[in-house]
Amino acid sequence: MRRITSSLLVRAALIITVFAAGTSAQNGRNTPPLAKRVPHLTEIHGYTLKDDYFWLREKKNPEVIKYLEEENDYTDEAMKSTKEMQETLYKEMLGRIKQTDLSVPSRIGDYYYYSRTEEGKQYPYMCRKKGSMDGKEELLLDLNKLAEGNSYLGIGAYIVSDDGNWLAYSTDTTGYRQYSLHLKNLQTGQTSSENIERTGSVVWANDNKTLFYTTEDAVSKRRDKFWRHTVGSNKNDLLYEEKDELFDVGASRSLDKKIIFLASFAKTSREFRYLPADNPTGELKVILPRRDSHEYDVDHYNGLFYITTNKDAKNFRVVTAPINDPSERNWKPFIDYNPKVKIDNLTFFANHLVVSEKEGGLNYLRVIEMKSKQSHRITTDESDYALFLSANPEFNTTTVRFNYQSMVTPSSVYDYDMNTRLRKLLKQQEVLGGYDATRYEGRRIWAVARDGTKVPISLVYKRGVKFDGGAPMLLYAYGSYGASMAPTFSSNRLSLLDRGVIFALAYIRGGGELGEDWREQGRMTKKLNTFYDFIDCADYLVKTKYTSTDRLVIEGGSAGGLLMGAATNMRPDLFKAVVAEVPFVDVMNTMLDASFPLTTSEYTEWGNPNDKAAFDYMIKYSPYDNIAAKNYPAMLVRVSLNDSQVPYWEGSKFVARLRVTKIDKNPLLLKINMGAGHGGASGRYDALRETAFTYSFMLWQMGIPMQDKPEPASRS
């Protein structure tokens, strides 16, 4: 009886808080801002898109900035009651982090490269030592110094020439992912004046003086050009320009340092070119001409191309081909097709190949001894886990480095001897404050979607949580581009788990967790499956009493923000609150603007709405276009002013229209980072503040009192 009474009191307190906030908003100066309405009509396929907030795209318009600042002021006022909780959460999360720390060093040639952090510093120091870690430290980059005078700092390329004398690195100081390439002479410590703008991939040739790089188009941000540059000169030779607007380009070098590859890639098609890395003035040659729906990847080993292809193999197979004629008639099977196993990537070493695979929604690493062709998988200890290759810059080694973690096991870096099968733990993420993994439990369950498809969900929670429908839950998902989520560890998440929150990660269709068919079932004219899967997972979690609709909060970002908007429009009754991070919600306006960054390359992910059939399907789920006069859950929408992937105005317009259309009084908050991009704050302390803010909103909506302190987790 005491538990029920306490719960009712908490909910009553929340009702009072919300009512008070609403009254204050109506009577005080922090009334919810209402963006002015300026009619804008788009006529297409006999349909009229009405958009009164189209003007919010005008980033340089002072009225736009004023409106965004008003939204921030209103959000700060609405969240005032959570200030103490925000500070508590920040201190908790910070208290689990080893602020002064060292990464696991990687040997490249004569040097050991690593990064280190210092308490109180937002960014790491990039360093190396010669011979061993007992040597004298050489500071290559002080990111804190590079960040001075800027609210944001992002690092793109960071690559040292083979002789160790030159460092090529690129920086972004706005968050717009527009990188400037710099060259630093590591012998003199001087940074060259050879700055190159709008760069992407960066690759050194074997002569230690020739640099290859890609650049992006100034308007569309499509990476479309491949260049050669000689250190010490002002000459930049354009070697290739990608004309097809569906394709971007990216460059790399094989681990054996023999071949430089240039990939042209669309969402469902790829094409590779190559030239010998020891002949940087050589001619680029096509390996396999592009074909619709043919996705392939290429690596080099022992004088042969190893081609991972989806031809006659949806989840990919591997063939070999001679360099002088890699056409299909010369293919020889190397790894046969297994429809149950998705081949993600190949990593060649001097005597071994490591294959990154997926099967049954889990990641595996398969080691193949190249002479005998015998293979084995690296074993794992848990039934639900995340397993990835770490940095492996050296070709001549019998050791492979990988990262293992789960929702209860902190991130762990291992060296694995591919001959003896012995592993050595090099470093496990240190969680300060006495973290005990046995106090938490992770598991994988399967929900059943409306069409009978089984959808996996990973769960983690504090032992002792009762599955009686009373537990609060945070449900997260993504479900686009064939990208795969994994049950990774988060020390920040402990602040939720210790307060009784269950965290759930749903692997919905459109992602790549269960292979290519899983991806295909959630894109283009099957995209609605993504949203249905998520809704059906949430329904399942409520019906099986893991949580209840009045304690279920959902979260997603970017294309996962599209998921948040679509699912909320479809089933607003199912969720207590929604957190949409940099959400792609204005689908129709964005995809109809071919001049906008990323639009054209996305035609093969969502569809091209200039085609009527595609338009008719996309308009069904576009969140901005499906806002209706009905009750919505509480919502926090986070955007960044300098976001190049999903512009600030998508989430801002969504909130503006929702505010004048919905009929409930639930909180609707817009939080804008005025000095960052798609990933939010770049400094580690600033990012922690953002997490504390978001978590406090979630806990408020879950009905967890602001003054509540986490209880020690029970082993029972």
Side-chain angles (χ1 to χ4, degrees):
M1 182 64 69
R2 181 177 300 170
R3 184 174 180 274
I4 296 175
T5 303
S6 174
S7 176
L8 289 174
L9 287 173
V10 168
R11 295 180 187 182
L14 276 175
I15 292 172
I16 293 171
T17 301
V18 172
F19 179 78
T23 304
S24 172
Q26 291 173 5
N27 299 330
R29 63 183 179 87
N30 281 312
T31 301
L34 297 178
K36 71 176 182 179
R37 304 174 79 160
V38 180
H40 181 277
L41 304 180
T42 300
E43 304 284 348
I44 183 169
H45 305 310
Y47 190 95
T48 302
L49 293 174
K50 300 178 181 180
D51 185 4
D52 291 342
Y53 305 106
F54 192 88
W55 70 278
L56 287 176
R57 294 166 53 132
E58 302 168 12
K59 185 177 178 180
K60 295 182 179 180
N61 184 342
E63 284 190 76
V64 171
I65 300 302
K66 182 175 183 292
Y67 166 70
L68 297 178
E69 290 172 341
E70 288 174 352
E71 285 284 5
N72 272 343
D73 290 342
Y74 172 69
T75 294
D76 288 343
E77 180 70 20
M79 290 286 287
K80 186 175 288 186
S81 65
T82 73
K83 286 290 186 183
E84 184 178 346
M85 175 65 86
Q86 291 178 45
E87 190 62 27
T88 297
L89 290 169
Y90 176 78
K91 290 179 178 178
E92 278 180 19
M93 293 186 290
L94 184 61
R96 299 189 191 101
I97 297 172
K98 188 176 181 181
Q99 296 184 58
T100 300
D101 203 0
L102 189 76
S103 71
V104 178
S106 292
R107 183 177 66 85
I108 307 176
D110 296 333
Y111 292 91
Y112 287 82
Y113 293 83
Y114 60 96
S115 65
R116 59 177 176 84
T117 54
E118 289 183 1
E119 184 171 350
K121 300 292 187 180
Q122 292 268 24
Y123 299 96
Y125 298 87
M126 313 301 288
C127 310
R128 72 179 181 182
K129 292 183 179 181
K130 190 171 184 178
S132 75
M133 286 301 292
D134 296 326
K136 181 182 178 181
E137 179 176 274
E138 182 181 350
L139 178 61
L140 304 187
L141 286 182
D142 178 353
L143 300 190
N144 297 284
K145 186 175 182 179
L146 288 177
E148 289 178 359
N150 300 293
S151 61
Y152 182 93
L153 178 69
I155 295 293
Y158 179 82
I159 180 169
V160 179
S161 59
D162 292 344
D163 61 7
N165 291 336
W166 287 94
L167 169 65
Y169 68 96
S170 60
T171 57
D172 166 28
T173 56
T174 67
Y176 196 64
R177 296 189 180 181
Q178 184 171 309
Y179 293 94
S180 298
L181 179 63
H182 312 279
L183 292 170
K184 183 176 182 180
N185 187 324
L186 299 182
Q187 292 179 306
T188 66
Q190 299 300 308
T191 299
S192 169
S193 60
E194 304 165 63
N195 294 345
I196 304 172
E197 298 298 322
R198 296 185 176 277
T199 55
S201 307
V202 178
V203 178
W204 285 102
N206 294 351
D207 63 4
N208 299 300
K209 65 179 182 180
T210 304
L211 201 64
F212 296 94
Y213 63 92
T214 63
T215 58
E216 64 183 22
D217 175 78
V219 177
S220 69
K221 285 188 71 67
R222 184 171 66 89
R223 293 181 179 177
D224 61 346
K225 295 181 179 67
F226 179 62
W227 304 79
R228 179 177 56 224
H229 174 77
T230 301
V231 175
S233 76
N234 293 318
K235 188 177 181 182
N236 297 282
D237 299 314
L238 178 62
L239 303 184
Y240 179 74
E241 181 175 3
E242 178 55 67
K243 300 289 189 180
D244 192 326
E245 63 184 8
L246 298 179
F247 286 76
D248 289 76
V249 297
S252 63
R253 185 176 64 166
S254 58
L255 194 57
D256 63 7
K257 302 180 182 179
K258 300 289 187 182
I259 302 292
I260 290 172
F261 293 107
L262 177 67
S264 292
F265 49 91
K267 295 295 185 292
T268 58
S269 178
R270 300 176 204 158
E271 179 181 67
F272 278 79
R273 289 170 170 79
Y274 78 98
L275 60 81
D278 59 2
N279 183 21
T281 59
E283 177 188 359
L284 273 175
K285 296 181 180 179
V286 175
I287 296 176
L288 295 170
R290 68 189 67 179
R291 297 198 308 267
D292 288 345
S293 301
H294 185 209
E295 297 182 73
Y296 73 93
D297 201 354
V298 186
D299 208 337
H300 174 268
Y301 178 78
N302 199 24
L304 292 174
F305 284 141
Y306 282 71
I307 301 171
T308 306
T309 173
N310 70 345
K311 186 179 186 304
D312 302 324
K314 179 173 281 191
N315 276 332
F316 296 90
R317 61 190 172 108
V318 180
V319 299
T320 64
I323 292 179
N324 61 354
D325 185 4
S327 58
E328 190 175 338
R329 64 177 174 269
N330 291 321
W331 288 5
K332 292 184 179 179
F334 181 74
I335 299 178
D336 292 333
Y337 178 51
N338 181 347
K340 296 181 179 180
V341 177
K342 162 76 183 305
I343 298 175
D344 274 339
N345 190 46
L346 306 181
T347 304
F348 282 96
F349 300 94
N351 298 303
H352 298 86
L353 165 64
V354 177
V355 185
S356 299
E357 303 176 333
K358 284 190 180 71
E359 183 176 5
L362 292 170
N363 291 344
Y364 294 92
L365 295 176
R366 177 176 296 280
V367 177
I368 300 177
E369 203 282 322
M370 290 300 289
K371 289 183 179 179
S372 68
K373 302 301 185 291
Q374 292 184 343
S375 72
H376 67 275
R377 276 178 170 173
I378 296 176
T379 59
T380 54
D381 298 325
E382 297 167 278
S383 59
D384 197 27
Y385 60 85
L387 178 66
F388 313 101
L389 284 181
S390 295
N392 286 279
E394 284 292 298
F395 178 71
N396 291 303
T397 180
T398 60
T399 300
V400 61
R401 183 166 294 177
F402 67 86
N403 181 285
Y404 177 88
Q405 57 186 296
S406 73
M407 287 187 173
V408 297
T409 301
S411 175
S412 308
V413 179
Y414 288 89
D415 269 356
Y416 180 82
D417 190 303
M418 293 181 280
N419 289 326
T420 66
R421 305 190 186 185
L422 297 177
R423 70 190 72 196
K424 179 182 179 181
L425 177 62
L426 302 178
K427 183 182 180 68
Q428 184 173 83
Q429 176 187 347
E430 191 171 347
V431 184
L432 304 183
Y435 174 70
D436 183 353
T438 65
R439 295 180 176 181
Y440 305 88
E441 184 175 0
R443 68 165 77 168
R444 179 167 292 203
I445 61 175
W446 296 77
V448 180
R450 63 195 66 189
D451 63 359
T453 300
K454 291 184 177 181
V455 182
I457 306 172
S458 289
L459 301 176
V460 64
Y461 45 85
K462 181 178 68 176
R463 290 187 185 273
V465 168
K466 292 181 170 59
F467 304 126
D468 58 2
M473 173 178 281
L474 172 59
L475 173 61
Y476 187 94
Y478 186 74
S480 289
Y481 302 110
S484 295
M485 302 291 102
T488 54
F489 181 81
S490 168
S491 64
N492 293 340
R493 192 189 297 139
L494 298 175
S495 288
L496 299 179
L497 304 186
D498 287 347
R499 288 174 170 83
V501 177
I502 300 172
F503 177 75
L505 175 59
Y507 307 105
I508 55 181
R509 282 177 284 185
E513 295 87 357
L514 275 75
E516 285 298 292
D517 192 53
W518 201 249
R519 171 199 182 195
E520 290 296 326
Q521 289 184 48
R523 56 180 290 273
M524 298 297 281
T525 56
K526 296 182 179 179
K527 189 61 197 172
L528 284 169
N529 284 335
T530 301
F531 315 129
Y532 294 155
D533 280 1
F534 184 79
I535 290 168
D536 295 343
C537 284
D539 255 331
Y540 175 84
L541 292 164
V542 169
K543 289 175 181 176
T544 51
K545 297 189 179 301
Y546 283 100
T547 189
S548 58
T549 57
D550 62 348
R551 307 206 78 184
L552 175 59
V553 175
I554 60 174
E555 181 185 19
S558 194
L562 163 65
L563 171 67
M564 296 299 101
T568 303
N569 276 331
M570 294 174 184
R571 283 293 307 275
D573 60 302
L574 189 53
F575 316 114
K576 173 62 178 176
V578 181
V579 176
E581 311 265 6
V582 291
F584 173 45
V585 284
D586 191 13
V587 176
M588 306 314 297
N589 280 312
T590 294
M591 295 305 297
L592 283 168
D593 187 350
S595 69
F596 194 74
L598 308 182
T599 291
T600 56
S601 64
E602 305 253 298
Y603 286 158
T604 48
E605 179 67 26
W606 317 107
N608 182 349
N610 292 292
D611 173 72
K612 186 177 186 306
F615 179 94
D616 290 343
Y617 188 83
M618 296 163 71
I619 196 72
K620 293 178 184 178
Y621 65 77
S622 175
Y624 185 62
D625 298 287
N626 283 280
I627 293 171
K630 56 188 176 185
N631 291 323
Y632 280 82
M635 187 172 292
L636 170 64
V637 177
R638 304 201 65 149
V639 301
S640 293
L641 185 64
N642 297 326
D643 193 339
S644 64
Q645 313 302 110
V646 181
Y648 71 90
W649 46 259
E650 292 215 23
S652 302
K653 288 169 56 179
F654 184 77
V655 168
R657 175 176 281 184
L658 193 58
R659 186 165 279 147
V660 298
T661 307
K662 72 189 187 84
I663 61 175
D664 62 86
K665 299 297 182 182
N666 293 324
L668 173 60
L669 308 179
L670 175 63
K671 184 69 170 176
I672 308 101
N673 188 320
M674 302 296 285
H678 197 59
S682 57
R684 57 177 179 158
Y685 298 110
D686 293 341
L688 212 56
R689 290 284 184 191
E690 290 188 339
T691 301
F693 182 92
T694 300
Y695 277 9
S696 67
F697 173 82
M698 294 174 176
L699 293 171
W700 168 31
Q701 295 304 314
M702 289 171 176
I704 296 175
M706 293 298 101
Q707 71 277 12
D708 192 34
K709 302 289 185 182
E711 298 179 1
S714 169
R715 283 189 171 84
S716 61

